Amino acid sequence: MSLKRTTLTEIQKHELCVYARDNKRTRSQYVGWIEEKWSVKVNESTITRILQTAENRLNSEPISPNSKRHKSVTYPELELALKEFVLNYQHRTVLSDAILIEKAKMIAEGLGIPQNALQFSSGWLHKFKDHNGIRRRKLEGEASSADETAIANALPLLRELCSNYPPERIYNMDETGFFYRLEPDRTLATKRLAGRKVNRERLSIALCANADGSHKLNPLIIGKFERPRCFKNIRIQAMPMIYRHNAKAWMITSLFQEWIREFDRQVGLKHQGQRVLLLLDNCSSHKLGEITLRYTDVHFLPPNTTSKIQPMDAGVIMSFKRYYRRLMLQYVETGNRAEDLRMDVLQAIRYIIQAWEEVDAEIIHNCWHHTKILPDANVNLRNISENIRQNENLTLNDLADALQALNLPYPMQVDEFLNIPEENVVYEVPKDDQIVEELVYLFKNTDEENMDLEEMDDSNESPIISASTAISCLETVRTFLLQQDNAVRSPNSLCHQFTELPHRTGIPMVERTNKRTNEQLNEQANNQRHN
């Protein structure tokens, strides 16, 4: 029997994009996959049109998953702000339709939406709730605050819970604020931290890894601007990280829910459908709501205990920050005055990726055991603590030397440079009378002409690099490396030699280059010489 041609639903289109991202096939093979999976037939031209929108579909949840025609929302910023309001307040009070319509009108006014542009009827509200999967739910009680005995009470329960999973299937995620331009001069830093510019120079970063350190997920980086100027001409989606934005660079509930859906997909593939345990703290943005996870069991750690029993807080995030700050100081050494440090978001993202790569499996594994939540009675915790301390001292010494080399008038001490109290804030629940104002600020278009100049994006557009320029630069680097006293003669080792250059020569850090790009440029250069 011939299959009937049909239009795919939004959720089917999303699933096709996910499959295409993970499995490179021809258009005809995708048609065959669809026929086998859903018993429907589509044209190859349909596949092409859907995959052309793959990036947008993968970066957002399907709206009206079962619909076949996606109608764009007239004011998406209004829907995003109202959805965030629901996600945060449905656990605190019963939200009626009247309350939602009232808040929607207030948010629309704050966003500058014309008064008669929307009717805010019951039909509009029904569509909003349908788009965002919002249903009436029973109010749940909040967990009570923990006392001094919370950690002692929590550890036996956590060990018993973790005993049901092997270390490679136990994960922890935590966020940290990050002043990526933080000047190491105490007077300048104090001036900057006291002013409004802190928000502009802030990122939030979510790091996640399993207990044996064998699986580190790409970091989630939250910035202030949707597309800073420095992103132009850059395929930012090809970098090993996820970038999202809002006006305060905060981890908000909608972003967390997007992240955990992607986490569930990734661990399902990694562990071939076996369930994993994800440990989370009680940050106010960590709300699952109605989300159903196929492969993930989530356990929330008791309040006021995470600084001691959460692995990311027990040394992983601090280790990451040490590596990042070291890279940042080496950036200053390349000729930039610390007082005029203007690192843009793109450069910061490169260093974030590199710093996360430097946090190796042993560091992560040691930090997990240091929390004592894993049921491994044969581990010598004293040796683990000593290993962590030795690793810290090596990096701290490097940082201290780098700070001293800058010859600043009032240099920060290393501990001061690494421990910024404001970086611990990743989300703040607004007071009831400020919620609408806060949501308007978070979701208002950041490109508006009347925006304060100090709050505007100050990065520069990345120039387009031609293939000939890249090849010429690669040849220059190759010649430089061959001129070094301990140069390796094999051309194939030049990429490795370039990566290890700072450790061998003592010159400031040269940014690592993508290995695949180097191989392609090597091949092009060799072809040109032969021709």
Side-chain angles (χ1 to χ4, degrees), residues 212-358:
D212 66 358
S214 62
H215 186 201
K216 295 190 299 182
L217 281 81
N218 290 340
L220 168 63
I221 302 172
I222 305 170
K224 180 176 178 180
F225 295 95
E226 180 178 5
R227 283 196 64 82
R229 280 193 287 269
C230 56
F231 282 12
K232 191 168 184 181
N233 304 321
I234 300 294
R235 291 187 67 248
I236 196 71
Q237 67 274 14
M239 302 179 75
M241 60 94 205
I242 301 170
Y243 181 83
R244 294 293 181 267
H245 78 286
N246 58 63
K248 287 196 171 183
W250 275 352
M251 169 63 90
I252 56 179
T253 304
S254 53
L255 292 184
F256 167 74
Q257 292 188 349
E258 178 189 348
W259 177 88
I260 202 168
R261 287 189 181 99
E262 176 61 16
F263 170 84
D264 189 57
R265 187 194 70 82
Q266 288 194 34
V267 295
L269 292 173
K270 173 76 173 177
H271 301 290
Q272 300 178 339
Q274 298 181 87
R275 295 194 71 81
V276 306
L277 175 64
L278 174 63
L279 302 177
L280 295 170
D281 61 30
N282 273 274
C283 175
S284 53
S285 60
H286 292 174
K287 293 184 175 69
L288 294 176
E290 301 292 335
I291 293 178
T292 301
L293 302 173
R294 296 181 61 185
Y295 310 108
T296 306
D297 299 320
V298 177
H299 179 78
F300 290 98
L301 300 170
N304 304 331
T305 64
T306 55
S307 62
K308 298 292 185 181
I309 65 175
Q310 180 164 225
M312 290 294 160
D313 281 342
V316 177
I317 287 178
M318 184 52 66
S319 179
F320 158 79
K321 286 187 176 183
R322 290 190 195 96
Y323 289 126
Y324 178 90
R325 300 291 190 215
R326 185 175 64 181
L327 290 169
M328 195 184 80
L329 292 182
Q330 289 165 342
Y331 170 84
V332 177
E333 287 179 342
T334 59
N336 299 281
R337 290 194 309 161
E339 305 94 290
D340 300 325
L341 185 61
R342 306 302 295 171
M343 183 187 297
D344 59 34
V345 176
L346 181 60
Q347 183 63 59
I349 288 174
R350 288 169 173 156
Y351 285 163
I352 288 168
I353 293 170
Q354 185 172 341
W356 185 226
E357 288 176 352
E358 299 245 8

Side-chain angles (χ1 to χ4, degrees), residues 15-223:
E15 193 166 341
L16 170 62
C17 292
V18 171
Y19 178 78
R21 177 189 60 189
D22 300 331
N23 304 273
K24 300 302 180 184
R25 301 287 188 270
T26 64
R27 296 294 187 266
S28 61
Q29 287 174 324
Y30 289 136
V31 169
W33 179 79
I34 289 172
E35 289 181 3
E36 181 180 351
K37 187 171 182 64
W38 294 306
S39 299
V40 297
K41 187 172 181 63
V42 296
N43 291 322
E44 291 186 20
S45 58
T46 301
I47 301 293
T48 301
R49 286 196 299 272
I50 294 173
L51 295 184
Q52 286 173 343
T53 62
E55 182 179 348
N56 290 335
R57 293 183 184 277
L58 291 173
N59 289 335
S60 61
E61 286 297 308
I63 297 177
S64 298
N66 295 321
S67 68
K68 294 187 176 182
R69 301 293 181 187
H70 171 57
K71 295 182 180 179
S72 59
V73 178
T74 307
Y75 298 103
E77 65 276 18
L78 170 62
E79 292 227 351
L80 288 171
L82 187 59
K83 179 182 179 182
E84 189 67 24
F85 170 79
V86 173
L87 292 174
N88 277 280
Y89 274 78
Q90 66 184 354
H91 301 271
R92 300 166 59 180
T93 186
V94 177
L95 295 176
S96 65
D97 288 358
I99 291 176
L100 290 182
I101 289 178
E102 177 192 357
K103 297 302 181 184
K105 289 179 179 179
M106 295 172 67
I107 292 170
E109 181 181 359
L111 291 171
I113 295 174
Q115 189 171 3
N116 297 323
L118 294 170
Q119 296 302 315
F120 298 105
S121 62
S122 58
W124 173 87
L125 183 61
H126 174 77
K127 290 179 181 178
F128 162 76
K129 291 194 289 187
D130 183 57
H131 289 169
N132 296 283
I134 295 172
R135 302 191 295 275
R136 186 181 297 275
R137 56 180 288 142
K138 183 179 180 181
L139 185 64
E140 298 176 358
E142 291 291 323
S144 58
S145 298
D147 55 26
E148 294 296 326
T149 63
I151 294 177
N153 293 335
L155 283 175
L157 297 175
L158 278 171
R159 291 193 193 105
E160 182 179 356
L161 180 64
C162 291
S163 67
N164 298 318
Y165 306 81
E168 65 270 17
R169 288 197 279 121
I170 307 175
Y171 288 80
N172 175 226
M173 183 276 277
D174 192 28
E175 305 98 334
T176 180
F178 207 58
F179 297 130
Y180 66 93
R181 283 180 175 175
L182 180 65
E183 297 92 334
D185 188 306
R186 183 182 289 106
T187 53
L188 288 173
T190 302
K191 181 180 178 181
R192 291 290 180 90
L193 292 178
R196 194 178 178 187
K197 280 189 175 183
V198 166
N199 280 340
R200 178 171 57 82
E201 299 177 349
R202 172 196 174 91
L203 297 171
S204 287
I205 304 169
L207 300 176
C208 180
N210 60 357
D212 66 358
S214 62
H215 186 201
K216 295 190 299 182
L217 281 81
N218 290 340
L220 168 63
I221 302 172
I222 305 170

Side-chain angles (χ1 to χ4, degrees), residues 515-531:
K515 184 176 181 180
R516 180 179 299 177
T517 303
N518 278 340
E519 291 172 350
Q520 292 172 344
L521 293 175
N522 276 327
E523 183 177 355
Q524 292 181 34
N526 290 332
N527 290 339
Q528 285 194 358
R529 285 197 299 273
H530 290 316
N531 293 334

Side-chain angles (χ1 to χ4, degrees), residues 374-380:
L374 296 179
D376 192 341
N378 298 321
V379 174
N380 189 322

